[in-house]
Amino acid sequence: MASVALAFSGGLDTTVCVPLLKEEYGYDEVIGVNVDVGQPTEEFDEAEETADALGLDLHVVDAKAEFAELCFDAVKTNATYQGYPLGTALARPVIAEAILGVAEEQGCDAIAHGCTGKGNDQLRFEAVWRGSDLEVIAPVRELGLTREWEIDYAAEKELPVEAGDGGVWSIDENIWSRAVEGGKLENPNYEPPEDIYEWTAEPEGETTIEVAFEEGVPVAVDGEAMDPVPLIQHLNEYAGGYGIGRTDVMEDRMLGLKVRENYEHPAATVLLTAHQALEDLVLTKNERSFKKGIEQEWSEKAYQGLVFAPVVDALNAFVDETQDVVTGTATVKVSGGNCRVVARDSEYAVYSEEMASFNTEDVAGIAQEDATGVAKYHGLQERLANDVKEGVSKPELATDGGADSSDEN
């Protein structure tokens, strides 16, 4: 008996995939898999109700801890994509790995998703799945389905889904971010209403938040030690109450489309700001400069869903080496929707208050007058280049187009 594991959320796309996998692809059994990376509880309730109505065997995998670990890798790397913290992109490989694990445990012959052919998620899922021996199936993409067709099909088959998309906006939520798109938001000139936000309040009030790190990993907030998942959840609620972590961005997808996305990410904003501040204190200038390129490459690969690629392992090796000294605290002030660092402290600080003070005459035995020679040489090559340019006369251009008067026609 041929069986297929389906990434199942209980929404319209994945619900219509259940009968289609049997009717169009000939599978005898469809096994649903739902992976918990911090979605709202009601989403799991709805998925279970829909699965029961379909007679679908649904497996729910708790992957919040694995996802939080990857989020903290992103913190160590200061990872953002086009100005916002990565959320959905980081979650998809974790979800894909969990679904693949269930598929292999259940002895499935294939694995399927309900993604369209326009988005990023199809690529992120399949980058993981195509490393297995299972057949990969994408009914919505392969059959060219539209939402209107799916609604009509669901009605014809009396499938347990509401007509339409179940709401005005398309929302993807996990513990690291909440993404909102679709509807009127597809117009870049449309100002989002306040009701699209759930994690962040209208920006007002202010407070300070101290984050403690050990080797680049957040371990405590305001002196209270926390495990990764509750730490993220605490900061989402606490910083979100001050309106921290809203991003409205025109995002370039992998397939060339430009889309408008609205994100909420309070915890990510606080942790990334605090971590960067602590790095600025403890890393050398050369480390900070070189790490920028590492961060850019890591972020691009993460956006593409390729966090398990060999090159990312190599990037992580460099990042982990720099994080040995990223231990200490950074304090941020959140106010008016803004998050800025106001203090940082570490025993590994590459900093001397005495050396930096304007009231100190010498620096480690180096007198101020010793800098005179350096100042004379600084910019010498540039001054020489400018002098050469001014000293070389420019050749006159021929007014006759360069023709020799002795040439005959």
Side-chain angles (χ1 to χ4, degrees):
M1 185 173 68
S3 63
V4 54
L6 170 66
F8 185 80
S9 67
L12 178 63
D13 294 326
T14 57
T15 298
V16 300
C17 281
V18 175
L20 287 174
L21 286 168
K22 296 178 179 179
E23 296 171 1
E24 299 295 329
Y25 293 87
Y27 283 94
D28 303 298
E29 181 183 19
V30 179
I31 297 173
V33 188
N34 198 331
V35 182
D36 183 359
V37 287
Q39 303 94 312
T41 302
E42 54 267 23
E43 289 190 14
F44 294 103
D45 294 339
E46 292 172 2
E48 289 178 0
E49 291 176 4
T50 303
D52 288 342
L54 289 170
L56 179 71
D57 181 19
L58 180 63
H59 297 249
V60 180
V61 181
D62 188 343
K64 290 192 296 293
E66 292 84 349
F67 180 48
E69 182 178 350
L70 182 57
C71 291
F72 281 1
D73 285 344
V75 170
K76 291 192 293 185
T77 315
N78 300 316
T80 62
Y81 178 77
Q82 295 190 338
Y84 74 92
L86 293 156
T88 299
L90 289 177
R92 291 305 186 248
V94 175
I95 294 171
E97 280 280 317
I99 296 171
L100 178 58
V102 172
E104 292 176 337
E105 289 173 3
Q106 297 298 312
C108 293
D109 304 286
I111 192 165
H113 62 71
C115 303
T116 73
K118 291 185 177 182
N120 294 323
D121 286 344
Q122 57 178 330
L123 307 179
R124 294 164 178 159
F125 279 128
E126 295 183 32
V128 174
W129 293 349
R130 291 189 181 279
S132 72
D133 295 329
L134 302 181
E135 180 184 2
V136 176
I137 304 172
V140 176
R141 181 184 69 199
E142 294 166 1
L143 300 177
L145 307 185
T146 64
R147 182 158 292 269
E148 289 76 12
W149 187 93
E150 291 179 25
I151 292 172
D152 292 340
Y153 179 79
E156 176 187 341
K157 295 291 184 178
E158 298 183 344
L159 300 179
V161 291
E162 296 179 3
D165 59 6
V168 178
W169 320 113
S170 176
I171 299 172
D172 180 79
E173 183 174 326
N174 56 56
I175 59 172
W176 199 236
S177 79
R178 180 173 178 272
V180 187
E181 64 178 349
K184 292 183 179 180
L185 292 175
E186 292 177 351
N187 177 0
N189 200 38
Y190 173 75
E191 182 177 350
E194 190 64 23
D195 63 11
I196 74 165
Y197 302 108
E198 289 189 3
W199 286 10
T200 55
E202 181 71 22
E204 62 180 5
E206 68 176 35
T207 190
T208 57
I209 303 173
E210 181 189 79
V211 182
F213 294 85
E214 290 183 4
E215 297 187 357
V217 177
V219 294
V221 175
D222 292 329
E224 182 180 352
M226 299 181 187
D227 289 332
V229 173
L231 188 151
I232 293 170
Q233 292 172 330
H234 167 72
L235 282 177
N236 276 333
E237 182 177 356
Y238 186 41
Y242 292 89
I244 300 303
R246 291 184 180 182
T247 303
D248 189 324
V249 62
M250 296 304 303
E251 179 179 320
D252 293 306
R253 285 183 174 171
M254 285 183 272
L255 294 180
L257 292 172
K258 189 182 290 291
V259 296
R260 195 242 190 120
E261 296 276 2
N262 282 262
Y263 294 100
E264 294 182 281
H265 38 74
T269 297
V270 170
L271 293 176
L272 287 166
T273 301
H275 179 267
Q276 180 69 74
L278 191 56
E279 275 197 346
D280 292 347
L281 179 65
V282 302
L283 297 186
T284 64
K285 178 181 178 181
N286 287 336
E287 286 175 311
R288 292 170 66 184
S289 177
F290 189 82
K291 189 169 181 283
K292 292 297 182 185
I294 299 292
E295 293 168 358
Q296 175 68 24
E297 186 65 21
W298 197 98
S299 299
E300 289 286 344
K301 289 295 176 287
Y303 184 76
Q304 296 166 5
L306 300 177
V307 291
F308 301 118
V311 67
V312 176
D313 291 336
L315 298 175
N316 283 337
F318 174 84
V319 171
D320 288 342
E321 182 68 23
T322 66
Q323 299 306 292
D324 285 348
V325 294
V326 187
T327 296
T329 61
T331 302
V332 299
K333 175 170 284 188
V334 295
S335 61
N338 297 312
C339 178
R340 61 185 178 88
V341 63
V342 293
R344 70 285 277 167
D345 182 60
S346 173
E347 60 181 321
Y348 295 102
V350 185
Y351 173 80
S352 168
E353 185 175 352
E354 180 182 0
M355 291 182 183
S357 174
F358 290 116
N359 294 319
T360 303
E361 182 177 350
D362 296 343
V363 176
I366 305 172
Q368 292 191 48
E369 63 186 26
D370 292 336
T372 302
V374 177
K376 289 180 178 180
Y377 275 103
H378 185 66
L380 174 60
Q381 189 174 100
E382 286 71 25
R383 293 195 296 271
L384 178 59
N386 288 333
D387 290 344
V388 170
K389 288 181 179 180
E390 292 177 2
V392 176
S393 60
K394 296 182 180 179
E396 295 184 3
L397 296 177
T399 58
D400 59 359
D404 192 325
S405 59
S406 62
D407 289 344
E408 295 182 358
N409 291 330

